[in-house]
Structure formats: C-alpha cells, structure tokens
Amino acid sequence: MGIVERDEQTNYLNALHDKSRSRRGQVVLIGGPAASGRSELLRTFAEQVAGPEVLVLGAACSPAERELPFGVLGQLFHSAALPPETESEVAGLLAAGMNVPRGTDSADTDLTQILHSIFLAVLRLAAQKPVLISIDDIQHMDDRSRRFLLYLARRLASTRVLLVLTEGAHLPLAHCPFRAELERLPHFHRLHLAPLSPSGVAQMLRRHLDEPTARRLAAEGYRVSGGNPLLLKALVEDFRQSGGVRVQGYGAAFVNHLHRGDPVLLQVARALAVLGEGSTPEEMAPLAGLDADTVDATLRSMTAAGLLTDGRFRHPAAGLAVLGTLPPQECQELNRAAARLLHERDAPVGRIAHHLVAADHAPVPWETDLLLEAAEHLQLGGSLRAAVKCLRLADTALGVTDRQQAAIRAELARTEWQLNPSSAARHLGRLTTAARSGQLDRRSLPTLVRQLLWHGRESDADAVLDRIHGAVREGSGGGTSELRDTEMWLAATYPTHARVRQLPAFSAQQRESLVTPGADPGLRAVAALCDHLARGRNHEAATHAEQVLRDLRLSRRSAWAEETALLSLTTLLYSGRPDTALAWCVSSQSEAGAEQTAVWRAVLAAARAEAATRLGDLPEAVDQAQTALAHLEPKAWGVAVGLPLGSLVLGATRTGDHDTAAKYLAVPVPEALFRSRYGLHYLHARGHHYLATGNAHAALADFLSCGELMRSWGLDLAGIVPWRTSAAEAWLLLGNRDQARRMVQDQLARPATDSPRIRGLCLRLLAAVSPAGQRPQLLGEALDLFEDCRDRYEQARVLCDLGRAHYALAQRPRARMVLRRARHLADMCAAAPLAHGLLAVQGEPRQGHTAEETETAPALTESEHRVASLAVMGYTNREIAERLYVTPSTVEQHLTRVFRKLGIKRRSDLPADLATEQQGGGRGVPSAVGHTGATV
C-alpha cells in the first residue's frame, strides 16, 4: 500500500533511479513543510529499490551529531554489508579524516585527498551494482560529511549512483551555500511535498478506520491536522481511543514535531500559546526572544506545514500541550511579562487581565485597577466566572487601603452570588466587620443585609442595619433613600427585622426627591413592589410587577436583579396572575444568553413551580421545583428555600406522592426561614401534607401559625397563602363546622377578597357548611371563579363537591355528569387522591356513558362540539378562541347554541363525555393539551 498522495513523487524517483542505473547519476533534494512526510517517502522509496541488485546506503542526521566529524558518513558505510576490504579501507579513511586539524592549508589538502579516496571507494561499489545513497534531514549534517557529499555530487554524473536527500523547512545559515552548490548541478532535481488535500485526508482515514467513521471524521480530520501526515496519524489514534482530540495524543505529536525541528519553532509556539489568538509577531517577539521578522517567517512556515491556521493553533489541544512543556513558574512569568507587554501597547483590558490571572501573582496598583475594570467588562458580557477570577486576584492586591479592600471584596461577593450564593457566603464575615468599622461604602450595605438574611445570619444583618440607621441619624453620607427602600423590602420579606416605625413619614413627592445618584435601581424597584404588596393593592402591584419585569433585562447587573425578579414574579402570583408569571418564566427560560446563571435559572424554576401549583398543573409544579433545587442546592437557597420546597411538597401531596413530600420535608431548613415570608409557603405546604395524611391537628397548627405570623407582620394577605380557608379545611376534618364557617366568613369579610381564587376557595368551603339545597349555587359560582383563574385542581375539587351535592338532592344524572367531568380534570392534574376519591362516590360510573349522556352529543355540529369539548376541560373562552383560531365572540355564540340544544344554563352543566370523547380523539378535536393550552 503506497503513501497517500505521493504517487507522483514516487514515480519521479523511480524514473531517476532508472537513469542512474544507466550510468547517469542523479541528485534529488526532497523538501516541504515540517512533518509533510519527507522521511516516510525516503524510507519507502529505499525499501522499494533495495534488493540484491541495488546497494542502499542510508543515514539520518540529527542536531546532536552536527559537531561530530564524518558522523553521517560513518552511518552510511555501516548501514549495509560491504566487502570486507572496502569496509576496512573506508574505516581507515574516516579515522584519518577525523584526525585532520582544522584551519590550515595543508590540513585542507589532506582532507581533500581523504574525500577523494572515499569517493573512489563509492565508485568501486557502484561498478559492482547501482548505489542509492539516502540521507534524511541534511540541515543537521556535520561539516565534513557535507563536504564529501558536495564532492560526490559534482562527480557522479557518469556513475550508477543516485543521491536522495531531504531537508527541513528551517535551515541554518551554514547549510545555505551547500544547497546553492547543489542547485547549480545539471543533474540536480528538487521535489516538494505539500500537506495532504481533503481527499487525501479522507483516504488516509479510510485506511485506518471503518468507512462510516472515516466519512464522518473526514472534515474534522482535515481541519485539525491541516493535511499534516504526522498530526493526522495522531488524530487517527485519538479517534480510536477516545473518539476525540487528546492533548496526550494529537497535542503530544504536535510538541514532538516542534522538538524535532529548529528551536525557534518551540520558542514561537510557546509565545503563541501564552499570548493566544490574535497576537502579532511584534507582540510575540519579546516573549520568544527573537526578532519580529524571524517570528513572522516561523509562523508562515508553521502555517504551510499545517500546524497553524491564520496564525493560531488548529486545535486547543496543541496550545495546551505546548504550555505543558513549560515549568509552572516559567509559565507564570511569561504570562506576567505578556501582561506588561500588552499594557505598554494599550491592548484591551480583557487580554491583559487574562494574563494577570494566569500569572497568579499579587497585583500591584496598576494591575489591580486593570483587573477591576476587566471584571466590569466581563460582567457586562455575561462572563461571570472570568470576572470572579479577576476579582479574586484583585482581592489579594498589595498596597490598597482598607476601604478599597472592602469594596473589592463586596464586588467579589456580589459576582460570586450570581453563580452560587454558598460561594459568596465565605466573604460575609469580613464584609460585616468592614461595615461595622465604616470601611464599606454605604451603597453596598443594603446588599450585604440581603445576603446575610438570605443565609440566616440575622445578628450580623441587624448590626449592619444599625450602621445604616446610625449613619442616617448622624447625617453622614446621606443614605435616607436607600434606608427607606431597604426597610420597605424588609417589611415584606423579613418583617421581624424591619424598623419602619422609626423612620419619619415622607410624601410621594418627597420620596422621589430623595433619590440618591448611583442608587441601585433594583433596590428601588423592590421597595416599590413591597409598598404595593404591604398595602394590599393587588392591581397596582401586578401592574408594577409587569413593568419591572419588562425593565429587568436592562438591569441584570444590579445586585438586586434576582431578588427583583423573584419578588416581581411572586407579586404576580399573590395578585392572582399565575398565568402572567408563568408566561414570563417560560419566555425567560427559553432565552439563550450568558445571563442564565444557576441562580437565575433556579429563581425562574421556583417561580414557575409556584405558578403551576396555582394553575393546578401538579406534575409541572413538582418537576420545576425539583429543577430549582437541582440548580441550587437547599443550602445555597438559604431561607428562600421555603418557596421551591413549599411548591414541591404541595404538588407532591396533591398527586398522592406522600413519600416524596415527606422526603423533602425532612430536608434541613434554617430556623430563620420561619421569620421570613418564604417560611409561610413552607408552613402552608407542610400543613396540607399533614392534612392529607390524616394529621389534622398538626395541619391546623401550621395554618394558624401562618395566620399569627402574617397578622403580626402586617402581611395578612390571602394571596400569599390562604391560611384561613386552609384552617377551615382542617376544622372540617376535625368535625368543627362552626369554626370552619367562622374562618371562611372572616376571610370573606376582609378587604381585597375580590380575587377569584380566594373567593372561590371561600365559596367551596362555605358550601360545605351550608344546607344541601344551597350548595349547588355556591359551588356553581365557585366553579366559575376557578375557571376564570384557570385553576384546574380547584375546579376538580369543586366539581367533586358539586357532584356530591347533586347526589344529596337526588339529582343522579346531573351528579354523574359532574363527577365524570371532575374525574377528567383530576386525571389531567394527576391528582390521584382526588380521582381515587371520586370512585368511592355512590353511583359514580367507572366506565362507559349513560344513554342520557350519549344522546346529547349527536345534536351538536362539529364546531359546536369542538368548543363544548374544550369548555368541559376548563378552558376559558379566550383560550378556546386562541386554540381554534376564532374570535372570543364566536366561541360565545357556539356555547349559547350548545346550552340551548342541551337544555342547560351554565358551563358546569356541560356533559363530561364531551371531554372524554376528545381524550379518545373523537370528532377531530386535539387529543391532548399542555399546561399553557398549546396543542402537544
């Protein structure tokens, strides 16, 4: 099997060999880029012509033998079996030649005589049979062997000698006259080897890999090897062993080639590996210890050899392998030298900072300033991990003041927080100390309070708050606006730490005039949201939350960005707009960008889980809550872990997966959780778990604890957690209907109970303590309310109660229809306990339809059936219109005709078998829907 893409050169050598056999001696010099296969071509040709009729003398030069007189000739005459007399004669001549001194005329004459005698010995050998003399890498040949070859080359035109030489791309100056003399000879020939073409690479891969693999890797093989046979062989081995490019394989082959060539190759490669892509010869020259012209020529040579492309490594493995040749300390010194060099040339700060970080040396003042500037640029570009590296190095700076050190550490903590709050926690102790001593800038203090409270470090947070209040009382450095914003946020999130009563009252106009230049816009947005929330202004709070979320993309770098997003989304949830919160989460989660840090993804998943819980999509709630806890472990969540844990426990409880709920309730949570708003979600969910597992007293205790905390904090808002209706459920389970009624009536009497969700919960429970004849009307209104807020789980619960109410009134056909619809919705929500309970209702059919139910459907047109089917499943008119691509008024007209044909008055009376037919794919209605109403 021949060498790939070297047939033309092989044929040319064979033709020259034929000429030399006819006493027309030839000289061939094979050149080409480094590692282009010169040695392999020479070896293959020598093996091809070797035999009884041809004498092959071969040698390979190396830098180590460059100073050894007649080193190459010694190899030549020992490479084959020669006649004893010739071998003895040549050995004597070489020994004599080695003893000839340098630099005198007589010595030069003696050496010429010795060279002539060796030439005559070669002629005698050629008289017996044709001779092939092959010498590899002649640029490393010793001077006396070079003189002999030139002597031989001038005189072999009428001999049976073929002289085949190879030379590298980087030639020492001493070799240039030798090559010039050869090129003057009429019987001299030059062959040039180019890197393999893409088809040649593909052919070589097919020789070593199976056909499908070779075809799949052909393009990558050419891109990474550049057609360089040496690198391609290493790639083949890498593909065999690991399926990809390895530093130990491809990278090692790259470095081995550099070591075999001129030392400047390794010097330039190291400079390139340190400086990276985009570096110029002028930048590389000082690091390589060479002049710019030499660097430029070396880069061109390496590119021609396929080692580089456009002045950069073809694969990162090559650069890593080159850096691996440097001792760590030398590598650090080179990076620091590179940083100084680039700084002098006014290079971009990011490039300079990269080398400072790699140097890992305590920075001097100019380096510290540059690292901070680079960190800011990196954060703007979303490269938070790189920014953290810059800030960590800046944190070790020498010659900075305590105030500067505190500012650097605060920025480091803020940046690390966006990646993982647990990582940032290690800085909080020293930052608290700096805050107490007045070394930390006042604008960083609210952020520090938030971080401390997140991790449950309440005493430290109170100490920092004391510092803020003291500074405002003393009138030193302003800060009144930040203080009021911080207090508003505390009152709605960590109420036990709020001191709003100690602040003077300000009008709205005065408040706006107290805005401090440079104040964090995130803190201001958070304070405004908390103000609306604490005053129970649901509509204003939701409207403002939507605006904040729209503006949030412009202030992602704010230290309060995640808090702003989380509070805005929960405000939408508390205000009865889970669909809006869900849509924003889905949209943000689908965005691909550097801002999608683990913290950001965790916040979105947690909010999405709570939204899914309030929409009755229980599997989605559990899945998203588990996703939130996967992005951030519970410890990193701090006290905010109450939000995802609450959604997960409540979702798992309602699906009947009590083991999962118990497992997550066993996760350790900080004691400070129960002194934060997040603790309300946790307590409420735990209470429902107790309620579902038959522990009504423990459930009631948790619900009443929620109420006690919310009243004492001034946050008695059912939108956060509906503790009164939950407590009413517990009282009902305990058999105390009076207490249950009192709880419900208390909730209905409170302001801001116009929320469809809260009123629906109240009406369902009020029906449970009302006479049987009043229940259908109360439950019908509750069902309409839950349809408006799209809570399918609560719709199923109301339908279950409504079916039981119809049974109690002996309205069995209607009861069966309602219970069938309840079962369908329960199955959609994966609410297994609720669905199982429906089977126990007396007379509820397990399968099939009654004649009364099935007779109604054929009376409907195709369009009416589609609309009615979706209405049975709980979709609103607007959602049905979006799914069927019609207007809401068209949906209303269809439903009016459906009601008239079926003799019913409201949506809750629609036969459940319409939805069942849809589930089976009947009448052309889509067979399944996702949680957002989109066909799946």
Side-chain angles (χ1 to χ4, degrees):
M1 186 179 295
I3 309 174
V4 174
E5 288 192 338
R6 297 295 184 254
D7 291 343
E8 180 181 348
Q9 291 85 355
T10 302
N11 292 336
Y12 193 83
L13 289 173
N14 285 329
L16 295 178
H17 179 55
D18 289 341
K19 288 184 178 181
S20 68
R21 292 168 67 95
S22 304
R23 296 188 179 277
R24 289 182 292 168
Q26 305 292 322
V27 178
V28 186
L29 181 61
I30 303 174
S36 56
R38 301 183 305 267
S39 300
E40 184 178 12
L41 176 62
L42 182 62
R43 177 182 54 78
T44 302
F45 175 68
E47 291 175 353
Q48 177 184 324
V49 301
E53 297 181 356
V54 178
L55 175 63
V56 177
L57 303 177
C61 307
S62 71
E65 298 178 355
R66 187 176 291 171
E67 301 302 323
L68 179 63
F70 290 120
V72 172
L73 288 188
Q75 284 189 61
L76 283 176
F77 290 106
H78 286 89
S79 64
L82 302 177
E85 62 276 11
T86 303
E87 185 175 350
S88 175
E89 178 188 3
V90 171
L93 291 170
L94 292 178
M98 293 179 66
N99 293 324
V100 174
R102 298 174 179 271
T104 64
D105 293 340
S106 61
D108 189 64
T109 301
D110 293 342
L111 184 59
T112 301
Q113 292 176 350
I114 292 173
L115 296 179
H116 182 71
S117 298
I118 297 174
F119 167 69
L120 294 177
V122 171
L123 288 183
R124 288 194 293 273
L125 291 172
Q128 300 174 21
K129 62 176 69 173
V131 175
L132 168 63
I133 299 176
S134 65
I135 305 177
D136 195 17
D137 286 336
I138 59 171
Q139 71 273 12
H140 300 309
M141 188 165 45
D142 65 276
D143 180 64
R144 294 193 175 182
S145 295
R146 187 184 298 114
R147 286 188 61 178
F148 170 74
L149 285 183
L150 192 56
Y151 191 92
L152 172 65
R154 291 185 181 126
R155 293 163 174 78
L156 56 69
S158 59
T159 68
R160 293 197 297 175
V161 176
L162 173 60
L163 179 58
V164 183
L165 313 171
T166 71
E167 67 175 2
H170 295 270
L171 304 177
L173 294 177
H175 180 75
C176 295
F178 169 75
R179 188 175 63 179
E181 288 294 328
L182 289 180
E183 290 174 344
R184 294 171 55 190
L185 300 176
H187 48 280
F188 171 81
H189 307 270
R190 172 183 287 279
L191 289 179
H192 181 79
L193 300 186
L196 300 179
S197 67
S199 60
V201 169
Q203 181 182 348
M204 188 168 178
L205 290 176
R206 285 195 297 271
R207 289 187 177 183
H208 300 281
L209 303 171
D210 59 84
E211 183 66 28
T213 303
R215 189 182 309 112
R216 177 172 56 86
L217 298 175
E220 182 183 4
Y222 181 74
R223 179 182 61 82
V224 177
S225 71
N228 186 296
L230 179 68
L231 298 183
L232 188 57
K233 288 179 181 179
L235 277 178
V236 169
E237 190 61 30
D238 283 353
F239 290 147
R240 282 174 172 170
Q241 292 193 22
S242 65
V245 183
R246 300 180 309 141
V247 174
Q248 301 89 338
Y250 170 87
F254 188 96
V255 170
N256 288 341
H257 167 69
L258 297 180
H259 281 296
R260 288 176 53 191
D262 193 281
V264 299
L265 291 175
L266 186 57
Q267 292 171 254
V268 171
R270 284 175 172 172
L272 177 60
V274 169
L275 285 169
E277 294 184 10
S279 50
T280 65
E282 290 74 20
E283 293 171 343
M284 295 167 61
L287 257 61
L290 303 167
D291 60 82
D293 290 340
T294 301
V295 172
D296 186 49
T298 304
L299 289 173
R300 288 199 304 270
S301 172
M302 295 173 73
T303 299
L307 301 175
L308 304 178
T309 177
D310 298 328
R312 55 186 173 83
F313 296 111
R314 289 184 170 272
H315 193 277
L320 292 174
V322 170
L323 289 176
T325 65
L326 290 167
Q329 186 174 357
E330 185 178 348
C331 188
Q332 290 174 350
E333 288 299 325
L334 278 175
N335 273 289
R336 197 163 191 208
R340 287 193 297 268
L341 171 71
L342 294 174
H343 180 61
E344 292 170 358
R345 294 174 177 269
D346 293 324
V349 293
R351 282 190 71 192
I352 305 172
H354 167 78
H355 294 292
L356 290 174
V357 170
D360 194 23
H361 183 86
V364 296
W366 76 263
E367 294 172 330
T368 303
D369 293 340
L370 188 140
L371 286 167
L372 295 176
E373 183 181 355
E376 184 175 0
H377 284 289
L378 289 167
Q379 289 179 59
L380 285 171
S383 301
L384 294 178
R385 296 189 186 280
V388 165
K389 291 180 180 179
C390 291
L391 291 168
R392 283 179 179 170
L393 185 60
D395 193 37
T396 67
L398 303 173
V400 296
T401 66
D402 291 341
R403 181 173 290 275
Q404 290 172 324
Q405 186 78 61
I408 293 171
R409 190 160 294 145
E411 184 66 15
L412 174 58
R414 188 189 72 78
T415 308
E416 285 189 351
W417 187 278
Q418 298 175 68
L419 297 171
N420 190 333
S422 291
S423 300
R426 67 180 185 273
H427 305 296
L428 300 183
R430 287 181 292 179
L431 286 172
T432 301
T433 302
R436 284 172 165 166
S437 62
Q439 300 300 327
L440 190 61
D441 183 77
R442 63 172 176 77
R443 287 174 294 186
S444 299
L445 297 179
T447 300
L448 178 57
V449 171
R450 178 177 70 88
Q451 293 168 339
L452 289 167
L453 289 175
W454 178 283
H455 284 295
R457 300 173 64 164
E458 296 177 289
S459 60
D460 286 343
D462 285 335
V464 178
L465 280 170
D466 288 340
R467 179 69 190 177
I468 300 175
H469 278 269
V472 172
R473 284 194 301 269
E474 296 166 5
S476 58
T480 304
S481 177
E482 284 102 328
L483 175 57
R484 288 189 59 81
D485 289 344
T486 302
E487 288 292 342
M488 290 302 302
W489 166 72
L490 287 171
T493 309
Y494 301 96
T496 58
H497 298 277
R499 310 173 189 179
V500 288
R501 294 181 183 85
Q502 302 175 19
L503 295 174
F506 287 93
S507 67
Q509 183 177 1
Q510 287 174 321
R511 179 173 170 77
E512 291 301 322
S513 67
L514 289 170
V515 176
T516 303
D520 194 309
L523 176 58
R524 174 52 47 86
V526 162
L529 284 170
C530 290
D531 188 29
H532 289 306
L533 189 63
R535 298 175 189 273
R537 300 170 177 169
N538 286 346
H539 178 73
E540 292 89 341
T543 301
H544 189 68
E546 290 187 64
Q547 181 61 50
V548 170
L549 289 173
R550 283 194 292 271
D551 296 340
L552 190 57
R553 289 180 174 85
L554 302 177
S555 56
R556 284 279 176 90
R557 284 197 65 247
S558 165
W560 289 77
E562 292 84 7
E563 182 75 18
T564 305
L566 187 57
L567 183 60
S568 299
L569 291 168
T570 51
T571 297
L572 288 172
L573 296 171
Y574 300 158
S575 303
R577 304 213 188 151
D579 49 347
T580 305
L582 178 64
W584 196 88
C585 290
V586 172
S587 172
S588 295
Q589 283 179 321
S590 65
E591 291 178 359
E595 69 273 9
Q596 297 288 343
T597 63
V599 176
W600 191 259
R601 291 193 295 269
V603 165
L604 292 176
R608 185 170 176 177
E610 182 64 16
T613 302
R614 297 184 183 223
L615 290 170
D617 192 346
L618 305 180
E620 174 76 358
V622 172
D623 178 67
Q624 288 297 324
Q626 289 176 329
T627 299
L629 293 171
H631 287 313
L632 280 186
E633 60 181 8
K635 181 180 178 182
W637 267 102
V639 298
V641 74
L643 181 62
L645 279 182
S647 302
L648 204 164
V649 169
L650 190 56
T653 297
R654 289 177 172 176
T655 61
D657 190 356
H658 300 306
D659 289 341
T660 295
K663 168 188 169 184
Y664 281 98
L665 283 173
V667 172
V669 295
E671 181 64 27
L673 167 68
F674 303 103
R675 291 183 288 276
S676 73
R677 174 168 42 86
Y678 303 112
L680 301 175
H681 294 270
Y682 183 85
L683 281 172
H684 186 254
R686 189 175 71 180
H688 276 284
H689 174 68
Y690 288 151
L691 199 63
T693 53
N695 196 344
H697 287 288
L700 182 61
D702 275 350
F703 297 143
L704 294 179
S705 293
C706 284
E708 183 180 350
L709 291 171
M710 294 170 74
R711 287 197 302 268
S712 67
W713 295 344
L715 285 175
D716 194 3
L717 306 170
I720 299 177
V721 291
W723 70 271
R724 288 184 176 83
T725 53
S726 296
E729 288 191 58
W731 281 121
L732 280 174
L733 194 60
L734 291 169
N736 195 329
R737 296 167 63 86
D738 291 338
Q739 282 286 8
R741 181 184 292 106
R742 189 174 297 112
M743 282 288 179
V744 172
Q745 290 174 342
D746 185 22
Q747 181 60 62
L748 286 171
R750 290 192 59 77
T753 312
D754 55 347
S755 162
R757 172 180 168 78
I758 303 305
R759 183 168 178 79
L761 290 172
C762 290
L763 292 177
R764 185 182 75 81
L765 290 166
L766 190 60
V769 296
S770 298
Q774 297 178 12
R775 292 175 189 171
Q777 181 178 355
L778 291 169
L779 292 171
E781 184 182 348
L783 183 61
D784 288 341
L785 291 168
F786 284 126
E787 286 176 349
D788 288 344
C789 61
R790 294 179 56 191
D791 189 336
R792 290 177 188 157
Y793 176 75
E794 292 297 341
Q795 288 178 52
R797 296 180 78 192
V798 170
L799 287 168
C800 180
D801 290 353
L802 184 59
R804 293 173 188 271
H806 285 313
Y807 267 121
L809 297 172
Q811 299 170 344
R812 299 178 66 83
R814 179 166 291 182
R816 284 195 294 268
M817 276 197 306
V818 170
L819 290 173
R820 185 180 300 280
R821 184 179 173 196
R823 176 65 185 274
H824 177 71
L825 282 173
D827 288 341
M828 286 183 64
C829 299
L834 185 58
H836 182 73
L838 288 167
L839 295 176
V841 179
Q842 183 179 3
E844 204 279 311
R846 306 271 177 114
Q847 58 184 0
H849 313 290
T850 66
E852 177 185 347
E853 292 170 326
T854 56
E855 286 175 357
T856 60
L860 304 180
T861 67
E862 189 80 16
S863 298
E864 291 167 350
H865 193 281
R866 287 195 183 96
V867 171
S869 297
L870 292 172
V872 166
M873 295 179 64
Y875 288 95
T876 65
N877 288 358
R878 182 175 298 278
E879 292 171 332
I880 296 172
E882 291 174 353
R883 287 179 55 78
L884 300 181
Y885 303 101
V886 296
T887 64
S889 63
T890 301
V891 173
E892 292 176 8
Q893 294 169 19
H894 280 312
L895 285 177
T896 300
R897 289 193 293 269
V898 170
F899 292 169
R900 186 173 62 249
K901 288 181 179 181
L902 300 182
I904 58 178
K905 296 182 179 180
R906 60 197 315 155
R907 300 165 80 99
S908 57
D909 295 333
L910 285 167
D913 65 324
L914 292 172
T916 307
E917 285 186 24
Q918 175 184 349
Q919 207 174 16
R923 300 251 183 178
V925 181
S927 61
V929 294
H931 69 273
T932 59
T935 303
V936 295

